[in-house]
């Protein structure tokens, strides 16, 4: 350390020791690499703050000048500016020798930082522009340690990129302000698919020294990944975004970090928040600088340049790019000054194109001159570059394939172009990547316009010649280029059949989606639809729909079997036909045919997943063109209603956003949040118009008035108040006081005269919008005081209200009821009990006044005709709670939003014509003579016998008076029995559906019923502790009493024995003839959730909520093995047919296979986590079944999985439309599988 610096430390030591806290200062010094972790530990071991400060200063005194600088900067950035001022005069100077070395040769450390960060190298000929370089550095200094943006802007070709790169070659700048490094990304003009690829590549580059996780599948996920990397792995680093065209692109990089951008648009950062600084780069080089560039190219002094030099510089209009092109030509042909000047002056080369963004008169001339001077064979090679995609760095191997040459030959050719400034080379990394400036590419494209199709055709043919029938693999450097741009070249070549063969190939789809996800493929289907659809649009629509509906699955790891997904498509789909051919060829792979899928119809028009968490609200704009949505991820999204294309994304609040609303003219969107704030946004630009903070608790709802011109906004909150705001005057116009509890919802009447509100206090109130006075109050809780309600059930939470079109009626929802009131009299006009099993979350009146849409907590939406009081449509598809349902202004569409992160858009007429067929998950299946007979509960009150092979309904009963809760078939297939929620059990004749016997067995819902093998006796259990044995033919009933808590389930054994298990933790064996218990097993401390009996009848297993499973001996009544490896409730179990294995499944989604003889754990299935936070089996494992040879296992849970028992590896996964599969019924030959999901969809699957 310099003596002067050391003296300043010693002189100010006392002040430093008295004031500083060392922890944050040491963090900065460690990140600057001047302090070691061991030295930090020495400081921390000191007892007092002052002693720690003294130790730190002692350590610094032993170090070099860099330590002093780092300590000074740490003081400055951590708020000790007064102490930093004491040390300022002692900052060691950088010697002129060091400075020269760093600027001209640069230190190896700086070279490494710039190289690893992707910062472009200096051009071959470089002239300093110190004023601009210093201006850029000055703005970077202004950032300090705070997040912010520096914009270097100016006309294209003015040298922004070169100047920015030069500013970053200052080692002191990097050391003091960006010790975390520099990360450079060339962005350019991008659509969302292109931006995603840029982000994916940047994340991969930043994760180079660690095992990379799954590539981000969308821009949001990539943004989050980049934010974590920049904040944790690369703190105090600079992100450089080169060539930004669109402000929306910056949203993906708005991560509270330090960013420098180059752009021709000064206003590009208007859309992002934070500190902003600007540097304007003049449109061209000064005349003297232009002459200097030429002098360096031709190796002459400026004074020695010929007289044509001045004219040449003027004709180039100061463009650094054009001057460099001319200079490179003059270097090779130093006697052609007059010739090149004449070419430019005569303007013999037409403009790139009249609509070009680049308004440089001399650019095309300089480009054409440069190309004309190439050798003839080089001209052809350069012409081949005309079809390269913009802003893409092309690996050398792509051009090796194009030209059928060795790498060295190709590099020699390309170096010729680089030397003449016709091409740029990125030498970062192991291999070279080449790219054209977009000006050069535009010129080439226009110049060779008539030959572009042939050029594209040539590169496709060369690709096919090289790869033949194979596809590139990730280890090859050209892999990503072909996956991203092969279709682009085929489309450019108008190779219709080849493009169709590629885009309609499941092999290509699988390979590409594994690498980059489905988004880019979907984009290509839209982009090239005119070519793909020339014969017929059906096939393209099949594949596009396949990807759109399965994109969430194709983003999973491990990657799903795309052939199996294809087999789930309609049989008329080309996707299905291809998948079927693949399955027939791949005889060693396990595939499943969904044989009853033809009855399933997708009723939704569009499904979008704009949020990363639950979607609480969504609404249409008045013109129906846009949708706004908000939710738990704290963002507001605006997207096109037709395509789902995102238009706007705003990180709008600090907590969950509960509601959003468009203004009547669509200019504004309002949001309200749990953070107690209301905000209004420009719906086009995303700029915040105003923020209201008068509510004292979370704000539940916001609604604009209905008339354009006057912007009134109503909001309501848990603070019991409703407020009306005037946007034009920016104040709260009225506060409406009267509710006694949280206000959940509010809406203006159609004429804007009134505001309706509903509250947890059980009331709906009407208010005058102008005065804020309460007009009327309707006691909704009064309509729940009847015989069905418990006397102490006094809280009636009124969740939502909706006005009729003319404002004469208002609809309110509470619990499971719709209530329609007359506005004038407040009298109840009608009420509808929508469901007995779920609550209403939201409702909306269709503008036609007859239909009401209702969002239910059990994942579905219903449409009701309020006049006929009939349900006209049942819409299923969501996988979780539906929070919101809203009609479009004309009523032709409605949208729903859910906890499952999706928004679904439905056509009203289409869903009203659909059938309301929903099966309960409780069903019985008999496999008989090759037939699959399924007894299912249809729409809660009917029983259906279905032929699973044909999907035909053999028998359909009339509606029962009470919902059916369970059902079973007799072994001879003559009878069926079912239990009801009322406690009644009935036996019917399958031939005609006639009820033979009825028995009012229980006071609670019947849970299980089963026939004995002789079909004369029916055994049942309910929500109580007894089992009933009913000889229905003799009308005799025996009651098995002994369990102390409710029966979980039971199973028939041989010799009139019965095994039952209960929530009381016990298992009992009964003699059903005598009704007496024969054995009792105190199995578990928690509820017994399942039991299985070994095939030889000597043992049984039990699983429990206590996270254990046990194997028991019937003979000795003792436990043989206790299996303790599970980490959650053990939900199910089954023995293998060979008596050797036991499989158990738990609520964590994990399956374990045990040795029955020793109790040893043999295999652990589902070791791979699908997505962060998601169980490996999509939820609980609910059922298990072995194959007859004990080599395979099938399990149900969130979906179905098949396993290799020997290895524990997954063989196949079948993703159902819904989730929460309760059981799986398997044929004796292990070839047919039957289940029902939580959407009520029946799956009959057959091994392919």
């Amino acid at each position: 350390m310099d003596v002067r610096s050391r003296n300043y430390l010693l002189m100010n030591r006392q002040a430093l020791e008295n004031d500083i806290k060392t922890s944050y200062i040491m963090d900065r010094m460690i990140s600057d690499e001047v302090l070691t972790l061991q030295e930090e530990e020495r400081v921390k071991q000191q007892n007092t703050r002052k002693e720690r400060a003294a130790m730190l200063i002692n350590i610094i005194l032993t170090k070099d000048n860099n330590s002093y600088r780092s300590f000074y900067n740490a003081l400055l950035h951590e708020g000790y500016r007064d102490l930093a001022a004491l040390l300022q005069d002692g900052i060691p100077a950088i010697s002129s020798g060091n400075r020269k070395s760093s600027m001209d040769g640069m230190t190896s450390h700086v070279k490494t930082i710039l190289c690893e960060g992707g910062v472009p190298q200096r051009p071959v000929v470089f002239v300093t522009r110190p004023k601009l370089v210093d201006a850029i550095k000055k703005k970077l200094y202004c950032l300090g340690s705070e997040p912010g943006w520096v914009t270097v802007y100016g006309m294209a070709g003015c040298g922004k990129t070169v100047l920015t790169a030069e500013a970053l070659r200052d080692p002191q700048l990097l050391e003091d302000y960006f010790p975390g490094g520099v990360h450079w990304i060339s962005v350019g003009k991008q659509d969302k698919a292109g931006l995603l690829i840029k982000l994916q590549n940047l994340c991969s580059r930043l994760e180079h020294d660690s095992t990379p996780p799954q590539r981000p599948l969308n821009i949001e996920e990539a943004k989050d990944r980049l934010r974590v990397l920049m904040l944790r792995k690369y703190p105090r680093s600079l992100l450089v975004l080169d060539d930004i065209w669109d402000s929306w692109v910056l949203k993906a990089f708005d991560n509270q970090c330090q960013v420098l951008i180059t752009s021709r648009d000064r206003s590009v950062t208007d859309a992002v928040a934070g500190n902003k600084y600007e540097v304007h780069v003049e449109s061209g080089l000064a005349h003297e600088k232009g002459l200097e560039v030429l002098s360096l190219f031709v190796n002459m002094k400026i004074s020695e340049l010929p007289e044509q030099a001045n004219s040449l510089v003027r004709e180039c209009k100061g463009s650094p790019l054009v001057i460099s092109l001319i200079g490179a030509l003059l270097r090779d042909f130093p006697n052609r000054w007059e010739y090149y000047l004449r070419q430019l002056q005569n303007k013999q080369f037409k403009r790139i194109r009249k609509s070009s963004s680049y308004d440089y008169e001399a650019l095309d001339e300089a480009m054409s001159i440069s190309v004309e001077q190439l050798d003839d064979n080089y001209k052809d090679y350069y012409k081949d570059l005309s079809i390269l995609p913009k802003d893409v760095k092309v690996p050398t191997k792509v051009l090796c394939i194009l030209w059928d040459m060795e790498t060295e030959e190709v590099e020699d050719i390309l170096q010729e172009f680089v030397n003449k400034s016709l091409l740029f080379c990125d030498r970062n990394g192991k291999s070279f990547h080449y790219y054209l400036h977009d000006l050069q590419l535009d010129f080439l494209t226009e110049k060779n316009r008539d030959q572009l199709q042939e050029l594209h055709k040539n590169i496709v043919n060369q690709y096919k010649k090289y790869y033949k029938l194979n596809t590139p693999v990730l280890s090859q450097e050209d892999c990503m280029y072909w996956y991203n741009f092969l279709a682009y070249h085929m489309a450019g070549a108008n190779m219709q059949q080849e493009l169709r063969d590629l885009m309609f190939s499941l092999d290509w789809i699988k390979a590409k989606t594994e690498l980059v996800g489905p988004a880019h493929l979907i984009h290509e289907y839209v982009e090239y639809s005119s070519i793909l659809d020339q014969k017929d649009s059906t096939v393209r629509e099949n594949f596009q729909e396949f990807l759109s509906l399965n994109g969430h699955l194709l983003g999973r790891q491990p990657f799903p079997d795309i052939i199996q997904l294809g087999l789930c498509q309609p049989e008329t789909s080309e996707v299905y036909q291809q998948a079927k051919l693949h399955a027939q060829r791949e005889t060693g792979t396990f595939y499943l045919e969904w044989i009853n899928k033809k009855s399933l119809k997708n009723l939704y028009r569009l499904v979008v997943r704009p949020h990363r968490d639950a979607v609480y609200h969504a609404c249409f704009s008045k013109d129906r063109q846009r949708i706004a949505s908000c939710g738990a991820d704290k963002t507001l999204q605006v997207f096109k209603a037709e395509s789902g294309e995102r238009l706007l994304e705003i990180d709008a609040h600090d907590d969950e956003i509960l509601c959003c609303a468009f203004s009547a003219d669509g200019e504004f969107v309002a949001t309200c949040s749990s953070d107690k704030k209301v905000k209004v946004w420009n719906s086009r630009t995303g700029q915040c118009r105003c923020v209201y903070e008068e509510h004292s608790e979370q704000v539940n709802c916001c609604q604009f008035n209905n008339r354009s011109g006057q912007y009134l906004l109503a909001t309501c909150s848990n603070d019991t108040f409703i407020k009306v705001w005037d946007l034009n005057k920016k104040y709260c116009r009225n506060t409406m006081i009267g509710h006694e509890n949280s206000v959940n919802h509010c809406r203006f009447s159609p004429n804007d005269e009134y505001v309706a509100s509903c509250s947890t206090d059980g009331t709906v109130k009407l208010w005058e919008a102008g005065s804020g006075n309460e007009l009327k109050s309707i006691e909704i809780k009064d309509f729940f005081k009847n015989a069905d309600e418990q006397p102490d059930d006094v809280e009636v939470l009124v969740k939502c209200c909706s006005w009729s079109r003319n404002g004469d009626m208002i609809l309110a929802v509470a619990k499971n009821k719709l209530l329609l009131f007359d506005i004038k009299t407040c009298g109840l006009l009608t009420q509808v009990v929508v469901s007995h099993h779920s609550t209403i979350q939201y409702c909306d009146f269709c503008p036609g006044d007859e239909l009401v849409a209702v969002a239910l907590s059990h994942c579905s939406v219903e449409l009701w005709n309020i006049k006929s009081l009939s349900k006209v449509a049942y819409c299923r598809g969501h996988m979780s709670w539906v929070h919101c349902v809203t009609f479009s202004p004309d009523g032709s569409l409605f949208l729903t939003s859910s906890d499952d992160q999706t928004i679904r858009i439905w056509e009203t007429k289409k869903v009203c014509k659909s059938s309301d067929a929903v099966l309960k998950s409780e069903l019985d299946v008999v496999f008989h003579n090759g037939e699959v007979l399924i007894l299912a509960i249809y729409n809660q009150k009917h029983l259906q016998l279905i032929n699973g092979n044909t999907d035909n309904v053999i028998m359909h009963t009339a509606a029962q008076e009470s919902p059916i809760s369970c059902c079973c078939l007799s072994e001879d297939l003559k009878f069926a029995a079912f239990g009801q929620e009322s406690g009644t059990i009935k036996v019917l004749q399958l031939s005609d559906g006639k009820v033979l016997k009825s028995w009012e067995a229980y006071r609670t819902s019947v849970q299980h019923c089963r026939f004995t093998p002789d079909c004369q006796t029916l055994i049942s259990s309910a929500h109580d502790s007894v089992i009933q044995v009913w000889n229905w033919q003799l009308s005799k009933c025996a009651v098995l009493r002994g369990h102390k808590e409710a029966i979980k389930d039971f199973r028939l054994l041989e010799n009139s024995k019965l095994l039952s298990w209960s929530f009381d933790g016990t298992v009992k064996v009964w003699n059903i003839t005598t009704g007496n218990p024969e054995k009792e097993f105190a199995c578990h401390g928690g509820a017994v959730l399942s039991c299985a009996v070994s095939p030889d009848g000597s043992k049984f297993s039990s699983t429990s909520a206590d996270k254990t499973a046990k194997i028991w001996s019937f003979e000795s009544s003792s436990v043989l093995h206790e299996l303790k490896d599970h980490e959650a409730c053990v939900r199910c179990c089954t023995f293998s047919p060979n008596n050797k294995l036991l499989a158990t499944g738990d609520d964590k989604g994990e399956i374990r296979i045990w040795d029955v003889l020793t109790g040893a754990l043999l295999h652990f299935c589902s070791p791979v986590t699908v997505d962060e936070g998601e169980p490996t089996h999509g939820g609980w494992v609910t059922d298990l079944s072995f194959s007859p040879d004990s080599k395979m296992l099938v399990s149900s849970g969130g979906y179905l999985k098949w396993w290799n028992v020997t290895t524990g590896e997954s063989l196949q996964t079948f993703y159902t439309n819904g989730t929460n599969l309760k059981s799986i019924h398997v044929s004796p030959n292990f070839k047919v599988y039957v289940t029902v999901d939580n959407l009520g969809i029946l799956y009959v699957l057959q091994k392919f």
Side-chain angles (χ1 to χ4, degrees), residues 11 86 95 336 468 644 657 755 819 851 974 990 1023 1146:
M11 184 168 48
L86 298 176
S95 68
R336 294 187 179 182
K468 299 181 173 62
I657 306 177
V755 174
L819 302 107
L851 288 181
K974 291 182 180 180
L990 283 179
H1023 274 310
D1146 65 24

Side-chain angles (χ1 to χ4, degrees), residues 948-1121:
N949 304 75
T950 62
D951 206 33
N952 292 330
V953 177
I954 301 170
M955 179 206 72
H956 182 96
T957 68
Q960 302 299 309
E961 65 282 356
S962 171
I964 302 171
S965 52
C966 62
C967 60
C968 65
L969 287 165
S970 64
E971 286 188 15
D972 58 9
L973 296 177
K974 291 182 180 180
F975 309 108
F978 60 90
Q980 296 176 260
E981 291 184 7
S982 62
T984 302
I985 299 174
K986 295 181 181 179
V987 177
L988 55 80
Q989 195 163 266
L990 283 179
S991 58
D992 55 10
K994 178 183 177 182
V995 175
L996 301 176
K997 286 289 177 72
S998 178
W999 171 253
E1000 294 182 6
Y1002 299 93
R1003 293 183 180 179
T1004 60
S1005 177
V1006 183
Q1007 294 300 295
H1008 303 284
C1009 60
R1010 289 186 186 87
F1011 282 100
T1012 55
D1014 62 8
C1015 308
Q1016 295 182 12
T1017 302
L1018 192 67
I1019 303 172
S1020 62
S1021 66
H1023 274 310
D1024 60 20
S1025 60
V1026 300
I1027 298 171
Q1028 296 199 20
V1029 180
W1030 179 35
N1031 188 319
W1032 61 274
Q1033 292 185 340
L1034 300 178
S1035 299
K1036 292 182 179 180
C1037 182
V1039 178
L1040 310 184
R1041 303 181 188 276
H1043 285 293
K1044 295 177 181 177
E1045 293 184 34
I1047 306 295
K1048 181 67 174 70
D1049 205 347
F1050 57 83
R1051 173 181 174 144
L1052 282 161
L1053 305 175
E1054 294 179 352
N1055 303 320
S1056 300
K1057 300 291 194 298
L1058 180 78
L1059 186 74
S1060 67
W1061 52 97
S1062 164
F1063 286 95
D1064 63 12
T1066 67
V1067 174
K1068 295 181 185 292
V1069 177
W1070 307 82
N1071 185 317
I1072 59 174
T1073 305
T1074 65
N1076 296 323
E1078 294 193 347
K1079 291 190 177 184
E1080 179 174 336
F1081 300 83
C1083 292
H1084 295 275
V1088 181
L1089 301 179
S1090 71
C1091 285
V1093 178
S1094 63
D1096 63 7
S1098 65
K1099 307 175 190 69
F1100 76 92
S1101 60
S1102 62
T1103 69
S1104 171
D1106 66 9
K1107 304 180 185 179
T1108 67
K1110 296 181 181 180
I1111 301 175
W1112 301 81
S1113 166
F1114 277 119
E1115 184 177 352
S1116 65
S1117 299
S1118 60
V1119 63
L1120 300 176
H1121 303 291

